[in-house]
């Protein structure tokens, strides 16, 4: 049972406090948490035991969502609920930042009132919440100023709350029935300075955009589901068909939602290589980078760029490339934007780094972050076999897409 939720800014200021039960949690717990977070740095855990409370925390866009409880509870329930709150607020407000939270205090409080009751999660589906609480807009803000009524809560309870599928709006109707399924994957890789692949895995999501009338029943199957690990489902998925036949059977929410997430581990090939070379002597360092195709995925690779942080001991840098643009920011972050690899040459960057006076050689080497995007393919090898739809009056349109982009793609020098 959660007893209180705090929203903290990136400076530790309490932007919002919501007491959930009769037991009031003092704000001093936020100061204790902030001191603990600073002392832990990158080692901060999502679940923390303070002297008086159990704390659950996530960070989204610089905003810390902090929940407190004095009783033991499943830690994943606290973390998952905070993730739901962050997702709902981002959906309602069109993003997450301090100004949006402060400008829409009333709606944030109303959403929390509906999402949790006496410390227990209640209604967390965005479709149902939108029927209960109107999203903020200019017209509603003007009316609240004129009439003095700032409430956005609907006086009637949504019909879907009484259904066995509360995530779906009641009896939606569309002239054109259509459903789109997207495979969106992020590749995480670590490559040593000698080009050895230390780690490579993919985090993926099956995203669905559904505009179907009535109460449709969908079945989605994959050609090779055995490669999937750490699967996580939307509440609409029936678990038994997946457990027995690796088939996703579900009644979809209305609109866009994440049907499932997964990981594919221990991959042995990557689409691009990045070869860094650094030699230093007599107070200067010579840097050379080469980017090229390692395994052709059969689709165009675009949005390629390389980013790295210059070591603090570098006082000056002169870098140039034969492809794309090179920018060095004031915080010593270097960004090399390539775009696409040309057919007639391999992109290369070279230049000289000047060390601070008194240093002869470079002892701290940068780590290079490579980013890219590939449309039309899932590099994990996951393939959709078929999508069957039932309980529909007309034959719907079905669309499938795939996208792979770089996640934490790191090359060590």
């Amino acid at each position: 049972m959660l007893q209180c939720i705090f929203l903290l800014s990136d400076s530790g200021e309490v932007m919002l406090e919501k007491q959930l039960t009769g037991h009031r949690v003092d704000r001093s717990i936020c100061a204790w948490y902030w001191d603990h977070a600073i002392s832990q740095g990158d080692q901060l855990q999502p679940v923390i035991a303070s002297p008086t409370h159990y704390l659950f925390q996530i960070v989204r866009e610089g905003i810390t969502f902090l929940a407190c409880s004095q009783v033991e509870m499943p830690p994943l329930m606290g973390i998952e609920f905070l993730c739901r709150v962050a997702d709902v607020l981002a959906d309602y407000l069109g993003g997450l930042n301090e100004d949006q939270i402060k400008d829409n205090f009333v709606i944030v409080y109303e959403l929390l009132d509906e999402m949790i009751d006496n410390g227990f999660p209640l209604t967390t589906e965005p479709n149902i919440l939108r029927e209960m609480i109107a999203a903020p807009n200019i017209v509603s803000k003007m009316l609240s100023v004129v009439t003095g009524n700032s409430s956005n809560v609907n006086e009637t309870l949504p019909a879907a709350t009484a259904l066995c599928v509360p995530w779906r709006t009641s009896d939606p109707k569309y002239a054109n029935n259509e459903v789109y399924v997207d495979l969106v994957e992020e590749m995480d890789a670590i490559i040593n300075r000698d080009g050895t692949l230390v780690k490579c895995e993919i985090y993926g999501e099956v995203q669905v955009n559904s505009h179907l009338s009535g109460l449709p029943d969908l079945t989605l199957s994959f050609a090779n589901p055995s490669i999937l690990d750490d699967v996580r489902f939307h509440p609409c998925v029936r678990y038994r068909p997946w457990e027995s036949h690796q088939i996703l059977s579900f009644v979809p929410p209305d609109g866009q939602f994440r049907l499932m997430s997964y990981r594919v581990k221990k991959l042995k090939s990557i689409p691009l290589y990045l070869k860094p070379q650094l030699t230093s002597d007599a107070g200067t360092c010579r840097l050379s980078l080469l980017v090229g195709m390692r395994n052709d995925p059969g689709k165009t690779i675009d949005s390629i760029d390389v980013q790295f942080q210059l070591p603090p001991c570098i006082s000056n840098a002169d870098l140039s490339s034969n492809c794309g643009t090179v920018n060095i920011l004031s915080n010593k972050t270097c960004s090399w934007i390539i775009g696409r690899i040309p057919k007639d040459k391999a992109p290369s960057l070279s230049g000289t780094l000047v060390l601070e006076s008194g240093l002869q050689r470079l002892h701290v080497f940068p780590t290079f972050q490579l980013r890219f995007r590939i449309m039309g393919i899932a590099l994990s090898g996951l393939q959709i076999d078929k999508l069957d739809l039932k309980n529909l009056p007309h034959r719907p349109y079905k669309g499938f897409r795939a996208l792979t982009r770089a996640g934490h793609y790191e090359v060590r020098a």
Side-chain angles (χ1 to χ4, degrees):
M1 180 178 69
L2 298 176
Q3 294 172 317
C4 185
I5 291 179
F6 296 99
L7 268 62
L8 310 179
S9 67
D10 55 4
S11 61
E13 175 194 356
V14 179
M15 297 190 299
L16 183 141
E17 172 187 341
K18 176 64 176 174
Q19 301 289 336
L20 306 174
T21 64
H23 173 79
R24 180 176 178 81
V25 179
D26 193 83
R27 279 196 178 194
S28 61
I29 193 67
C30 297
W32 183 94
Y33 161 79
W34 198 251
D35 292 339
H36 180 77
I38 294 174
S39 65
Q40 293 294 310
D42 294 337
Q43 305 300 320
L44 185 65
Q45 300 297 317
V47 182
I48 307 164
S50 77
T52 56
H53 293 81
Y54 296 103
L55 305 181
F56 308 89
Q57 63 92 22
I58 65 169
V59 179
R60 295 281 184 88
E61 304 296 334
I63 298 175
T64 300
F65 293 77
L66 183 67
C68 308
S69 176
Q70 280 190 318
V71 298
E72 289 193 13
M73 57 177 286
L76 284 179
M77 186 181 82
I79 298 298
E80 176 64 20
F81 177 73
L82 291 179
C83 290
R84 287 291 186 97
V85 171
D87 291 340
V88 167
L89 292 184
D91 181 46
Y92 257 78
L93 307 180
L96 274 179
N97 60 53
E98 292 184 39
D99 293 335
Q100 288 170 320
I101 296 292
K102 292 177 179 179
D103 290 343
N104 297 280
F105 266 132
V106 174
I107 286 183
V108 175
Y109 275 109
E110 289 172 346
L111 286 171
L112 290 175
D113 279 334
E114 301 298 339
M115 294 183 71
I116 192 165
D117 181 36
N118 198 34
F120 294 96
L122 184 61
T123 304
T124 60
E125 286 299 324
N127 285 326
I128 304 302
L129 289 170
R130 282 193 171 275
E131 290 191 39
M132 301 171 76
I133 302 171
N137 56 57
I138 296 177
V139 175
S140 62
K141 290 181 179 179
M142 292 178 63
L143 285 175
S144 66
V145 172
V146 174
T147 63
N149 180 18
S150 60
S151 175
N152 299 277
V153 181
N154 196 339
E155 294 181 358
T156 59
L157 192 66
T161 55
L163 300 177
C164 59
V165 285
W167 51 82
R168 185 169 178 82
T169 53
S170 58
D171 197 26
K173 291 181 172 59
Y174 294 97
N176 297 317
N177 287 284
E178 52 192 15
V179 57
Y180 300 95
V181 180
D182 293 337
L183 295 180
V184 180
E185 297 187 342
E186 287 191 354
M187 174 174 280
D188 298 334
I190 299 176
I191 300 100
N192 264 343
R193 65 181 64 185
D194 59 357
T196 305
L197 186 60
V198 178
K199 171 190 173 183
C200 184
E201 66 179 29
I202 278 180
Y203 170 79
E205 294 182 353
V206 179
Q207 299 178 358
V208 179
N209 194 359
S210 170
H211 299 283
L212 301 172
S213 303
L215 198 66
D217 201 317
L218 278 63
T219 303
L220 178 67
S221 59
F222 301 101
N224 49 349
S226 59
I227 67 173
L228 302 179
D229 290 313
D230 301 337
V231 292
R232 180 184 176 193
F233 304 110
H234 188 277
C236 70
V237 175
R238 303 180 182 101
Y239 186 64
R240 186 168 294 178
W242 174 264
E243 191 177 34
S244 55
H245 304 293
Q246 280 71 56
I247 293 175
L248 294 175
S249 175
F250 59 100
V251 175
D254 194 39
Q256 191 167 0
F257 67 100
R258 182 179 63 189
L259 180 64
M260 70 174 290
S261 63
Y262 58 88
R263 288 191 185 275
V264 179
K265 301 178 179 179
K266 297 181 180 179
L267 295 176
K268 297 183 179 179
S269 64
I270 53 178
L272 296 175
Y273 68 80
L274 172 63
K275 295 181 179 179
Q277 288 186 346
L278 289 100
T279 56
S280 60
D281 191 23
T284 60
C285 177
R286 182 70 181 173
L287 171 64
S288 175
L289 297 178
L290 188 66
V291 176
M293 193 84 67
R294 184 163 178 172
N295 293 286
D296 190 352
K299 298 289 184 178
T300 301
I301 305 178
D302 59 13
S303 301
I304 302 171
D305 72 82
V306 181
Q307 289 195 355
F308 59 96
Q309 186 78 29
L310 295 175
C313 59
I314 300 297
S315 61
N316 192 21
D318 183 17
L319 303 175
S320 61
S321 68
N322 67 345
C323 180
T325 59
V326 180
N327 297 306
I328 301 177
L329 305 180
S330 58
N331 61 354
K332 292 189 177 182
T333 299
C334 181
S335 174
W336 178 23
I337 301 174
I338 302 172
R340 295 184 181 181
I341 297 178
K343 296 181 180 179
D344 57 341
K345 58 184 176 182
S348 64
L349 177 146
S350 60
T352 303
L353 309 178
V354 180
L355 305 181
E356 291 179 345
S357 60
L359 295 177
Q360 295 296 314
R361 300 177 62 87
L362 184 65
H363 299 286
V364 179
F365 297 97
T367 299
F368 301 91
Q369 305 288 339
L370 182 61
R371 296 189 293 190
F372 59 84
R373 184 184 65 176
I374 310 174
M375 299 291 295
I377 191 171
L379 288 184
S380 66
L382 183 65
Q383 296 179 345
I384 295 176
D385 183 25
K386 61 180 178 179
L387 175 64
D388 295 328
L389 297 92
K390 301 177 182 177
N391 301 338
L392 284 172
H394 307 290
R395 184 176 179 180
Y397 175 79
K398 298 182 288 186
F400 304 93
R401 294 183 303 184
L403 164 67
T404 302
R405 55 183 175 232
H408 187 72
Y409 199 101
E410 179 181 293
V411 181
R412 298 168 178 171

